[in-house]
Amino acid sequence: TLYDVDRAGLAALLAGEPAYRVEQVWEGLYGQGREPAELTTVPKALRARLDEELPTALTEITRSVTDDGATTKFLWSLDDGPHIETVLMHYDDRTTVCVSTQAGCAMACSFCATGQAGFERQLSVGEIVEQVVRARRAGRDSTTGDSTTGDSTTGARRISNVVFMGMGEPLANYDRTWAAVHRLHDDLGIGARHLTISTVGVVPGIRRLAVADLPVNLAVSLHAADDELRDELVPINRRYPLASLLEACGDYVTRTRRRLSFEWALISDVNDRFEDAARLAGIANDLRAHVNLIPLNPTPGYAVRGSSRNRVHAFAGDLRRRGVNVTIRDTRGSDIDAACGQLRAVQQRGAVQQRGAGHHHAPVAIRPSAR
């Protein structure tokens, strides 16, 4: 597909054309965010050929917008049938795209509806990259001014951050995810410190990140600070228990000198008690990690209750008193199932509908106070 082709592949495709055509096309696709048909600097016949030989991978099914246009969720269909979702979020100081790396997920987390739905397949490099390119284009087209330059003086918004927190487990698709990271960094110009990879704790992948050639951010979806509870919430913990996970995290911090983040979805009477805060604080302080608390978002059909607003703030306050750097994640977009833990494409009765859950944070029934 269009964004699966690297420079060498494009050069091979354009063999026989003047050498400068490769740079013209590459810059048009990545620097300017144009589609092949819009590459007016190349001959019309070549544009038509590129369109035919390098089709796009994503077909937009629906686009949902909320929060006064600040959050947009895209539902895409892939060529072979699976559906994935991408979320574009505008903030006062940044614009972030949340991308998927798999169709479905094999991690089977007990509170994640994506995992419960099962794994369909890995996404290709181009399918990951195209999510950012298409979201960037949509963000520009929704503002006034020049939709190709992204010039801030026109009101258009550049993509400043990409988080690999959509559907799937990025480190279970490491090679394609990392190739996509490089494409975003090298060709879309997004700095490594503005790229964040989230994982439920795939230790071999964390160890590869620790010695990788770009210092991206790492966010670990922890959700429990003892093996008994984490075994239930995040089954991969049985393969890579906390001791192994935290050792790998420590190695990542030492080697990259990047700040580690722990994601913690607060579930009422399961992991929101002060004893949970005490265990989490011990781990976070040892690794000088930042903690992102995620008020569990509503997901129709799954009988688990997120912690109350008061409990979320009490839990955060307890962590701060214990010396932890903590934030409570914004839940914007929940009314279009675009907030944390709400990405999932469901096809019913022949029509695509959107509802509940994605990546690491979507709920299904859990026993309260599981120990």
Side-chain angles (χ1 to χ4, degrees), residues 51-72:
D51 237 356
E52 180 179 355
E53 297 186 24
L54 296 177
T56 55
L58 308 180
T59 299
E60 185 175 327
I61 303 299
T62 60
R63 183 184 304 193
S64 305
V65 183
T66 190
D67 296 329
D68 298 324
T71 302
T72 302

Side-chain angles (χ1 to χ4, degrees), residues 1-2 5 9-18 21-22 25 29 35-39 42-56:
T1 64
L2 183 60
V5 176
L10 183 62
L13 183 69
L14 298 183
E17 296 283 344
R21 290 288 186 221
V22 175
V25 172
L29 295 176
E35 296 181 356
E38 300 169 331
L39 301 178
V42 305
K44 187 175 181 179
L46 180 55
R47 281 180 258 160
R49 181 184 162 208
L50 289 170
D51 237 356
E52 180 179 355
E53 297 186 24
L54 296 177
T56 55

